[in-house]
Amino acid sequence: MFGDYSLSDLGSIFVMQGFAGLILFSVFVLMALGLAIIFGQMGVINMAHGEFMILGAYVTYLTATFFQNHLPGLFDAYFFVAMVLAFLAAGALGMAVEWLLIRHLYRRPLDTLLATWGLSLILQQAYRSSFGAREVGVDLPGWMIGSLQATETIEIQINGLFIMALTVLITIAVGLMMFRSRWGQQVRAVVQNRVMAGAVGIDTGRVDRLTFGIGCGIAGIAGSAFTMIGSTGPTSGQLYIVNTFLIVVFGGAQSLLGTIASAFTISQTQSTLEFFTSGSMASVITLLGVVGILMLRPQGLFTLKIRR
Amino acid sequence: MMQNDNPFLTRLDWLSLALLAALLLVAFPLGLDTFRLNLVGKYLTYAFVALGLVICWGYGGILSLGQGLFFGLGGYCMAMFLKLEASTVENTKIQSTPGIPDFMDWNQITALPWFWQPFHSLALTLLLVVAVPVAFALLVGAAMFKRRVSGVYFAIITQAIAAIMTILIVGQQGYTGGINGITDLRTLAGWDIRTDGAKLLLYFVNAALLIGCILVAQSVRRSKLGRILVAMRDKEDRVRFSGYAVASFKIFAFCLAAGFSAIGGAMFTLQVGFMSPSFVGITPSIEMVIYAAVGGRTSLFGAVYGTLLVNGAKTAFSESFPELWLFGLGALFIAVVLAFPDGLAGLVRNRLLPWAGRMLARGGKPAPVRPGMVTK
């Protein structure tokens, strides 16, 4: 399979595929971070996570259209506004959903799964009714178009670099929030021992709502970043939900570091395989590998001991 | 529930069985034209999956989100037999390789791959329709339950397996027919399955098989096995510490559910005349869970009524307001979980029967209290 390529070609191929894998990795991390908080920390299966992501993408689309029509001078900066709006919109919807739906079902995780699947169907149809069934794309600001020519055979896209930088920033922010802020301390306390956390005066209901909201908000940001490299349709979210859940489970549900490590492993495997076989076989092999490893090691790569 | 005077079927079960049989075997065939009857037959094939989920999820507490996989495997096994029969050398002489299915020829495959070879024989096909999915369920179940993977994790992994299977079927179109599936099926051992008469007969075979599966499920439910399943669902550790091999019981329930689904899939292929990956993936698999949930997750008969009701509503809505159907289905998921966790069967048990009991009691003696009726 290597016969037709010279050594330097092969080097370039690995670098380019590695870079494509890094972009995939960034998107996976952004999607999985929100889920790692909601599923890993709270134990809630949110099947509508993909739809929260798409909400962020549509908010970005609306913001881009608004800037194009009313503030063309500031178009270069619209993305930052869109990201904040996407976070707020998805977060607000998330908190509303937690209050209306999820909080009644904390003791029945499998039922949460069915209810949030219902929610995802409703959201999909709502997107289809308001934005149409066709996929929509946004115009990138001028500075994000183009690529850096690293060597003769290697080029790197700027929007990909931007997404990677964004992912690093958001990951650091989430890490700081979880491990340095008072909210993070409370979340971890509630995860470790809900009853005791309540007994020492933590409002566990409020922590739950906020946690769910922030997880959904991060999904919104992921959707917003997603518009930079692809178009958005009403059912785009569903394509990613299985991958995202597998990443979180594979990494060890309670560990943020595990989530990142598993997103890296899965994305690199997939993008390298994609070059040698078809795209569909690459995902089949990758996913089968993940499922196989999970059967041997159900607790995932990284585990955290907690009291149940 | 442990008394010896507890028969295989209680009076209420007999009544439900008679009602269902009357509905499926008499009322539908008399009241519906061939097209509608065929449609009901299609819905009833989903009821096999719902029935499996009642045993596996309602009784065993194992939620599988990959039942479409077993439905699809059964369906594909059946479809391949029909396809091979339709692709005789005579019928396919315009192909570059006559005698193999058309989709293989389109994808430059020149010989039937080894794994489709057994499907030349009807007897072997009928065996494999059930054996392949059950063997697959055994493999997955043994790998996961022995390592005590359960609950949410099991749901996610079964879902992933269903997704992988869909990608595989769509991607390998030379071997599987790809996104279009296996189509253009004509005869079963020389008997044309597309005529009205054949459709009527297949409907009755399907309904009879469904009732047979209900009786099998009922015998599991009534046996000690069924009680262990319920005990395991409610307090798994206590059952394990009492010395039962919890994993083996779970594997059994999962395999039984897979077997039922496979029969449903094969009957689907026969009645509808094709099989495609759109019945294998995540969306159909989760939709089939809602059939069981609407009927009442612990009710065998409820599974059938739930399937008919949801699919009937789907067809009615899709004909008149296609936009609204997804809203309706989504709301149904949420409503069943939040407001009616026991589904239709819960409504019948807790509202209709006591009411009927009171109505009857007005004339004569007071209605007896039946504590054993609510299974929760």
Side-chain angles (χ1 to χ4, degrees), chain A residues 45 47 108 111 242 281 295, chain B residues 147 152 159 172 282 337:
Chain A
I45 309 275
M47 293 299 286
R108 293 147 57 192
D111 286 5
V242 171
M281 276 319 279
M295 283 181 179
Chain B
R147 288 192 171 71
V152 167
Q159 187 182 38
Q172 297 296 312
I282 301 170
V337 164

Side-chain angles (χ1 to χ4, degrees), chain A residues 39 45 47 101 105 108-109 111 113-115 117-118 121-122 125 128-129 242 245 253 280-281 287 295-296 298, chain B residues 63 65 143 147 149 152-153 156 159 164 167 171-172 282 286 297 323 326-327 329-331 333-334 337-338:
Chain A
F39 174 54
I45 309 275
M47 293 299 286
L101 191 62
L105 300 171
R108 293 147 57 192
D111 286 5
L113 195 160
L114 294 180
W117 179 260
L121 294 180
I122 292 176
Q125 186 57 42
R128 197 172 292 129
S129 305
V242 171
F245 266 110
S280 68
M281 276 319 279
L287 293 179
M295 283 181 179
L296 299 176
Chain B
L63 178 56
L65 294 184
R147 288 192 171 71
V149 177
V152 167
Y153 289 84
I156 291 175
Q159 187 182 38
I164 294 172
I167 303 174
Q172 297 296 312
I282 301 170
I286 298 190
R297 62 188 75 172
E323 292 258 303
L326 272 187
F327 284 128
L329 186 63
F333 269 92
I334 293 173
V337 164
L338 279 185

Side-chain angles (χ1 to χ4, degrees), chain B residues 314-325:
Chain B
K314 182 179 189 169
T315 309
F317 265 106
S318 310
E319 278 170 3
S320 34
F321 319 97
E323 292 258 303
L324 288 180
W325 168 242

Side-chain angles (χ1 to χ4, degrees), chain A residues 47-101:
Chain A
M47 293 299 286
H49 195 76
E51 277 63 39
F52 281 100
M53 203 179 103
I54 298 306
L55 179 66
Y58 277 122
V59 167
T60 311
Y61 166 72
L62 288 179
T63 318
T65 318
F66 178 81
F67 271 66
Q68 250 164 354
N69 294 336
H70 301 282
L71 299 165
L74 293 172
F75 188 70
D76 276 355
Y78 87 85
F79 186 68
F80 300 99
V81 180
M83 230 167 57
V84 173
L85 288 178
F87 178 81
L88 291 178
L93 183 65
M95 283 169 82
V97 166
E98 202 276 348
W99 188 68
L100 287 170
L101 191 62

